[in-house]
Amino acid sequence: MPELKSHHHTAALGPLSHWMAYYSRRQQFRRIAKTLLAERDEILKDLGYERREILSAMNLPLRNDALKYLELHRSK
């Protein structure tokens, strides 16, 4: 029986480690986004960003890569 319990415990670490990776990446993005959102709209425009796109990226589900989303919506 201990093997079954051990296997169950290891299987649970997979989704948890994925969640932790998603969470960590989102926290990094939030730090970047907060810095961008502190800028004036004119500065954001010069950088190719729109405030609404940054806010949209911050509200994406955790599994979505917010930085990738923002870069895809960035005006060049």
Side-chain angles (χ1 to χ4, degrees), residues 15-72:
L16 179 61
S17 65
H18 287 292
W19 183 88
M20 291 295 289
Y22 294 139
Y23 181 78
S24 175
R25 183 143 172 90
R26 184 57 56 90
Q27 289 304 100
Q28 291 173 349
F29 175 77
R30 284 186 181 278
R31 285 191 289 276
I32 294 166
K34 282 178 69 174
T35 302
L36 287 171
L37 290 171
E39 297 294 340
R40 295 185 330 265
D41 287 339
E42 296 82 19
I43 300 295
L44 291 178
K45 185 176 179 180
D46 288 345
L47 295 171
Y49 297 108
E50 291 184 31
R51 188 170 306 276
R52 66 182 172 84
E53 293 297 343
I54 297 168
L55 292 170
S56 293
M58 290 179 75
N59 290 314
L60 288 172
L62 199 55
R63 285 186 176 204
N64 293 58
D65 187 334
L67 189 55
K68 191 175 193 177
Y69 170 89
L70 190 59
E71 288 303 312
L72 286 173

